[in-house]
Amino acid sequence: MPVVVQKFGGSSVADPDRIRAVADHIARTRRRGTDVVVVVSAMGHETDDLLHLAEQVSRSRPGREMDMLITAGERKATALMCMALHDLGVGADSLTGSQAGFLTDASHTNARILEIKPHRVRQVLAEGRVPIVGGAQGVSAARDVTFLGRGGSDTTAVALAAVLDADACELYTDVSGVFSADPRVVPSARRLGTVGFDELLEMTATGCPKPAMRSVEFARRNGVTLHVRSSFTWEPGTWVREEDPSMEKAIISAVTYDTSEAKVTVQGVPDRPGIAAALFRALADLNVMVDMIVQNTSEDGRTDISFTVPCEHLDRAQQSCQDHAGDLGATRVLGDDGIAKVSLVGAGMKSHSGVSAKVFEVLASRGINIEMISTSSIRITCVVRTERLEEAVQALHDAFELERPVV
Ligand code: ASP
Ligand code: MG
């Protein structure tokens, strides 16, 4: 029998009615002659609630105990889903990550999967029952419970699809797929019928919130076809698969944005070997995540270096640059949290000229200033003022006619 993995996110199982609706969908899929392996997230905002609870109780919040706490959310959802299926006459067994064979390293709160031994999942399937696996969890070599991190249920689902050689991994959420832009910002945004792994990875890296980037990387590496779709409408969503090189591609697929970064500028650094190395080594040692980096051409042997970091790393990054400014001979360090990134992503960009010119013209025609630019072969990103971001997203979506279906 064909096998599909169906993963249901927190909003899909947020309350008793949702759990019963999902159980009904699983039962229908089985009646159509497909074996189903289910992965569930914690109900609604439970993960956030548990994190908040821990904050109120403790200042130290050791990783081992945090993982035991957080994974309880998914565990609860698996048991409830099984009960709902039993009521529909469908046999189902709940499995923790450990029972499902997820062996991980011991990096608590963000563990990595080392190996999957899905004997029990296979056994439950062989008995004609539905395995319901708790998402985002595993067990370490020391037999401690581990959590795979935020969004980790997507990774659980993709990993199971890979080891079970499933036909597809269906990621059910509260939106009906991957869109050409955030529909809250661009009401005319179009759901993409299909998107390639490379494009989706660029999109998730530049602000598209779902699916979790790590799961998309995992899916690409293992050739798992993803189907991102809604558990509220159940309509077909967006297929994510390896691009077919023989097919004509849309030049641009989507506009994404990200308001979570801030900019640091180090002014007047001497233009000689070792300056960037010293600056960024210090940041790396403080675990600051650096994203875009721009260095200007030098004038009189001095230049400016600007880079972006997550907003919550801004103070740390600014302080580190300040601490080294004297040694490096820099004149000034500036921090700026009023920036946002807007990105245009499309696999067809590779073989088309004029895309960046058009991006810059569109922004210029609105008087939107570009503060930084970075590109990959299938992406153009511009840093603009946060207050101009939504206008930039809408303008680019209009100019590239992304609401029009690709023929
Ligand atoms: N419930 C966890 C979270 O929201 C893990 C997951 O569902 O992916 O991050
Ligand atoms: Mg979730």
Side-chain angles (χ1 to χ4, degrees), residues 25-297:
H25 179 73
I26 296 167
R28 282 169 198 278
T29 309
R30 294 238 320 168
R31 283 203 293 276
R32 282 196 296 268
T34 303
D35 265 344
V36 187
V37 175
V38 175
V39 174
V40 286
S41 288
M43 295 170 66
H45 298 292
E46 182 151 37
T47 306
D48 289 324
D49 295 344
L50 292 170
L51 288 167
H52 184 60
L53 196 57
E55 272 165 36
Q56 290 170 286
V57 168
S58 156
R59 255 170 299 130
S60 57
R61 301 193 286 282
R64 182 182 185 280
E65 305 314 325
M66 285 305 287
D67 286 8
M68 186 66 100
L69 176 73
I70 297 172
T71 54
E74 275 76 17
R75 184 164 172 165
K76 179 170 138 188
T78 60
L80 293 168
M81 187 60 70
C82 280
M83 295 178 198
L85 279 162
H86 293 176
D87 284 359
L88 297 173
V90 177
D93 295 312
S94 58
L95 296 171
T96 63
S98 170
Q99 289 174 315
F102 279 78
L103 310 179
T104 73
D105 66 13
S107 351
H108 284 292
T109 73
N110 206 11
R112 300 250 136 209
I113 299 170
L114 297 176
E115 200 187 345
I116 305 160
K117 296 183 171 172
H119 315 306
R120 291 218 40 198
V121 176
R122 287 210 175 91
Q123 192 185 326
V124 174
L125 282 176
E127 288 164 6
R129 301 167 68 82
V130 183
I132 312 281
V133 179
Q137 51 187 275
V139 66
S140 70
R143 305 210 52 77
D144 284 326
V145 170
T146 53
F147 179 58
L148 304 185
R150 301 310 304 262
S153 294
D154 288 358
T155 308
T156 299
V158 172
L160 275 175
V163 286
L164 298 172
D165 200 19
D167 290 15
C169 178
E170 301 182 336
L171 301 173
Y172 288 89
T173 166
D174 50 4
V175 291
S176 61
V178 178
F179 282 75
S180 58
D182 181 344
R184 287 171 303 183
V185 175
V186 183
S188 65
R190 188 175 64 85
R191 183 176 66 224
L192 307 177
T194 60
V195 63
F197 283 121
D198 292 341
E199 286 177 311
L200 187 58
L201 279 171
E202 290 280 7
M203 288 172 66
T204 53
T206 53
C208 175
K210 285 172 188 172
M213 180 149 78
R214 197 168 142 199
S215 70
V216 181
E217 282 167 346
F218 204 110
R220 175 170 63 176
R221 249 193 337 272
N222 294 281
V224 174
T225 301
L226 302 177
H227 188 183
V228 182
R229 52 189 300 192
S230 162
S231 68
F232 289 78
T233 65
W234 305 108
E235 67 199 302
T238 301
W239 289 91
V240 189
R241 48 166 69 103
E242 208 56 72
E243 266 133 30
D244 178 352
S246 69
M247 261 170 53
E248 185 78 34
K249 285 178 204 61
I251 300 175
I252 306 301
S253 292
V255 187
T256 54
Y257 67 86
D258 186 351
T259 53
S260 69
E261 291 186 4
K263 182 172 75 166
V264 178
T265 301
V266 187
Q267 289 181 330
V269 291
D271 188 11
R272 60 173 159 76
I275 297 291
L279 210 53
F280 289 95
R281 165 49 57 203
L283 292 167
D285 289 346
L286 292 170
N287 292 319
V288 171
M289 302 268 285
V290 177
D291 180 21
M292 291 167 78
I293 304 175
V294 170
Q295 176 176 320
N296 292 328
T297 51

